[in-house]
Amino acid sequence: MITLVQDYFCASARRFPDKPAVSCEGDVLTFAQLDGFSNAFARALQAAGVKRGGFVPFFMQKSVRSIQSILSILKADCAYIPIDINSPAQRLEAILKAANATVLIVDDHSEALLKTLLPESTVRLINISHYSGGDESPLDYKNLSIDIAYVLFTSGSTGTPKGVMIPHKAIIDYIDWCVETYELTDRDVIANHAPLYFDNSTFDLYTAFKTGATLHLVHEELNAVIPLLVRWLREREITTFFCVPSVLTLLLKSRRLKEDSFPQLRHLICAGEVLPADILAEWMQRYPHLQFTNMYGPTEITVDCSYHIVRERPGPDCMSIPIGKARKNMELFVRQASGELSTEVGAEGELLVRGTSVAYGYLGDAERTQKVFIQNPKNPYFHDPLYCTGDLVRIDTNGDFLFLGRADDQIKFLGYRIELGEIEANLMALPGVEEGVVVFNNSENENERELGALVSLSDGYTLDALTKDLKSRLPPYMVPTRLRLIEGEFPRTPNGKYDRKATKHIVFTAVE
């Protein structure tokens, strides 16, 4: 029985010792090499003073050393914390403080950067690049399935990052379902596109560890030039690719896609943001042999709690792709305006999630935790947390959940309650719109309050035509009046999602 996530990897190492386990930019480690190194380095971490249950961050670009760090931390009976190497000093310091970190794993490049960012830090730096080896025999783990495996820090509305605590049992519950649902085996080749501090990476790492599939890491330089991904995916014979939907949009715009671009690919899985129906339709037309899946889930429920396998190509009238139904061992509720929890067709409101993969809460922040992790009101008998996602959904006639937008994206404008997601869905449904993001200027000055959009248009399609087409689909008060054209890339967060704060700045503060 698997109770700790590193046991996935250890079992595969026994089955496939000489098979490549992980690859990045020409660096390749076999299962046996990675297993032996992580056993030895785990002992080095313990010798450096890390204790069972401690939080051990690592700070470096995505590489095979990152994977070595993760497995070593887990084998030391600790929880790992990936830190974005582009983090500003204030955020980095806040994470180290929240984790009460005594050590920080770095490599040659990141050590120099860290000393520049935090020259007075007292946290001990352990440079994995300089580790010369040690006892590679298996360790005797003390941790249980209820202990924490990782903490991922997400942006907090107060400006302080929130550390989401995920236990081993939550990852195992999710990964076992993924492997079963997508029929993944050791014959698969899995790409890791997401940064390791983004929870989508959990799917990539642990499905590969469990099945014995080879994991190929998309390195930082490749991520900066998305069109190069097409050749990279083909050359590495990737069978399973999990990405945010905007990557599909960028690949289409690159004009690099050919009918034979992905001969080995079986699964194309999206999560992390809204999957535009028109983009999906074009991908399905080009690559009918692929299985396309739209998954949904915040970091707080361990990657994904619902999924929708798209069986038919969306038609021109399709407004949105469902986020689907709850995956195995998870339960979804709609909290309606009355406060009642519903699973009935037509119910609309905030999505609440229940199940084994719900996180423990936020590290060192009981107040934030209590606000969004609540006791199941239908269960007075034992601890049964529901995570309040802040996402608005509706249950359609098929019993599928439809994502409507963020509760905090629901605005009041000209006396109307408006979902920005609804405007965006209609915008993206227009044939002349290649990409678009809708924002709202919530100024204290009533005269400055305005809906806007940043758009990329196809040749020959104009902003006047866009406005006219939107007016035929939406009531006047929902039609953006401030439109900005963009010719280059849309602003994005490090996770690859749209950066709505930067978009808002472009739309409403750019010089006329």
Side-chain angles (χ1 to χ4, degrees):
M1 181 176 71
I2 296 291
T3 57
L4 302 174
V5 292
Q6 65 265 31
D7 286 337
Y8 280 146
F9 183 85
C10 296
S12 291
R14 291 191 292 271
R15 294 169 59 208
F16 312 107
D18 299 322
K19 181 180 179 180
V22 61
S23 168
C24 184
E25 281 192 289
D27 291 334
V28 183
L29 290 177
T30 66
F31 278 93
Q33 289 171 328
L34 184 49
D35 191 39
F37 180 96
S38 55
N39 287 340
F41 195 60
R43 289 187 169 91
L45 292 175
Q46 291 171 334
V50 303
K51 304 297 183 184
R52 177 187 171 188
F55 302 105
V56 181
F58 63 93
F59 178 72
M60 64 188 72
Q61 285 190 336
K62 187 196 295 186
S63 64
V64 295
R65 296 196 188 284
S66 306
I67 306 302
Q68 289 174 319
S69 299
I70 287 172
L71 284 169
S72 300
I73 294 166
L74 290 169
K75 290 181 176 185
D77 277 330
C78 295
Y80 64 89
I81 302 178
I83 302 180
D84 180 6
I85 197 167
N86 297 309
S87 298
Q90 183 177 357
R91 180 180 177 86
L92 179 58
E93 194 167 28
I95 292 173
L96 295 178
K97 181 179 179 181
N100 196 24
T102 58
V103 302
L104 174 62
I105 302 175
V106 294
D107 60 14
D108 283 337
H109 169 69
S110 64
E111 181 175 12
L113 177 60
L114 189 283
K115 289 179 177 178
T116 301
L117 289 170
L118 300 178
E120 298 180 5
S121 174
T122 58
V123 175
R124 178 181 175 182
L125 304 184
I126 299 179
N127 192 324
I128 194 171
S129 306
H130 297 171
Y131 182 63
S132 57
D135 180 359
E136 296 190 352
S137 62
L139 291 91
D140 181 20
Y141 312 128
K142 301 294 191 298
N143 269 356
L144 307 178
S145 64
I146 59 175
D147 288 313
I148 297 171
Y150 67 66
V151 178
L152 294 185
F153 279 82
T154 65
S155 296
S157 58
T158 63
T160 304
K162 303 177 295 186
V164 181
M165 300 181 288
I166 302 293
H168 287 261
K169 65 173 184 174
I171 304 171
I172 291 169
D173 185 73
Y174 171 65
I175 294 299
D176 284 355
W177 173 83
C178 288
V179 170
E180 176 184 333
T181 300
Y182 298 115
E183 299 179 336
L184 302 175
T185 72
D186 59 279
R187 295 185 296 278
D188 279 293
V189 182
I190 296 172
N192 163 237
H193 180 264
L196 298 178
Y197 53 82
F198 183 27
D199 67 332
N200 281 5
S201 64
T202 302
F203 173 95
D204 308 326
L205 269 62
Y206 293 102
T207 56
F209 291 172
K210 175 179 171 64
T211 61
T214 297
L215 177 69
H216 288 279
L217 308 179
V218 177
H219 55 85
E220 304 289 343
E221 289 77 9
L222 183 61
N223 239 344
V225 191
I226 290 292
L228 298 181
L229 261 180
V230 178
R231 186 173 69 180
W232 185 91
L233 291 165
R234 180 185 177 90
E235 289 178 347
R236 282 153 185 78
E237 300 183 334
I238 300 299
T239 65
T240 306
F241 186 47
F242 186 7
C243 65
V244 292
S246 53
V247 170
L248 302 190
T249 302
L250 289 171
L251 289 176
L252 277 177
K253 290 175 66 175
S254 74
R255 306 187 190 281
R256 300 283 184 93
L257 297 179
K258 310 295 181 187
E259 287 186 5
D260 61 348
S261 290
F262 311 115
Q264 303 300 323
L265 195 60
R266 296 195 301 127
H267 290 288
L268 209 163
I269 303 167
C270 285
E273 57 189 1
V274 173
L275 175 59
D278 61 327
I279 297 297
L280 176 60
E282 190 162 348
W283 272 86
M284 293 186 74
Q285 183 176 24
R286 288 171 182 253
Y287 305 107
H289 68 285
L290 298 183
Q291 176 174 295
F292 293 86
T293 306
N294 189 31
M295 295 212 292
Y296 162 87
T299 303
E300 287 87 347
I301 55 78
T302 314
V303 195
D304 299 297
C305 57
S306 74
Y307 74 113
H308 177 70
I309 297 174
V310 186
R311 306 291 185 186
E312 297 181 358
R313 181 170 173 261
D317 296 329
C318 179
M319 292 298 298
S320 64
I321 305 301
I323 59 173
K325 297 180 174 66
R327 68 168 176 83
K328 187 176 181 180
N329 209 31
M330 298 296 279
E331 193 170 8
L332 308 181
F333 299 98
V334 175
R335 181 162 60 184
Q336 302 177 105
S338 64
E340 291 296 311
L341 301 185
S342 176
T343 57
E344 298 298 318
V345 168
E348 185 172 322
E350 183 185 7
L351 178 63
L352 274 60
V353 183
R354 174 178 184 253
T356 298
S357 289
V358 170
Y360 285 161
Y362 302 118
L363 178 62
D365 197 335
E367 183 178 351
R368 275 181 177 171
T369 298
Q370 290 166 6
K371 283 182 178 179
V372 294
F373 293 88
I374 65 170
Q375 174 64 22
N376 183 357
K378 296 185 175 184
N379 182 3
Y381 305 108
F382 57 86
H383 180 58
D384 183 7
L386 301 180
Y387 173 64
C388 308
T389 66
D391 289 333
L392 299 174
V393 296
R394 181 173 61 247
I395 304 176
D396 71 10
T397 54
N398 296 318
D400 286 319
F401 284 71
L402 301 175
F403 176 80
L404 303 179
R406 289 286 300 166
D408 48 18
D409 279 344
Q410 186 182 70
I411 63 168
K412 191 164 187 180
F413 181 49
L414 302 176
Y416 298 96
R417 292 205 174 275
I418 299 171
E419 300 289 350
L420 296 184
E422 182 182 353
I423 303 174
E424 209 162 271
N426 278 276
L427 180 70
M428 291 304 299
L430 300 178
V433 176
E434 294 184 345
E435 211 169 346
V437 177
V438 175
V439 288
F440 179 61
N441 183 19
N442 191 23
S443 174
E444 293 182 1
N445 185 338
E446 187 70 30
N447 294 328
E448 295 178 357
R449 291 165 65 85
E450 188 177 16
L451 285 164
L454 186 65
V455 295
S456 172
L457 306 181
S458 56
D459 292 342
Y461 194 66
T462 65
L463 291 178
D464 287 342
L466 184 155
T467 300
K468 181 180 178 181
D469 289 344
L470 273 183
K471 285 180 177 178
S472 70
R473 305 173 69 102
L474 294 170
Y477 62 84
M478 291 180 68
V479 176
T481 51
R482 181 69 66 95
L483 300 174
R484 296 286 183 193
L485 273 174
I486 185 170
E487 294 183 358
E489 301 294 340
F490 278 65
R492 297 182 188 279
T493 68
N495 292 347
K497 299 181 181 182
Y498 291 116
D499 187 332
R500 295 181 183 272
K501 185 176 181 180
T503 299
K504 183 177 176 180
H505 178 78
I506 292 172
V507 172
F508 293 111
T509 64
V511 178
E512 293 286 354

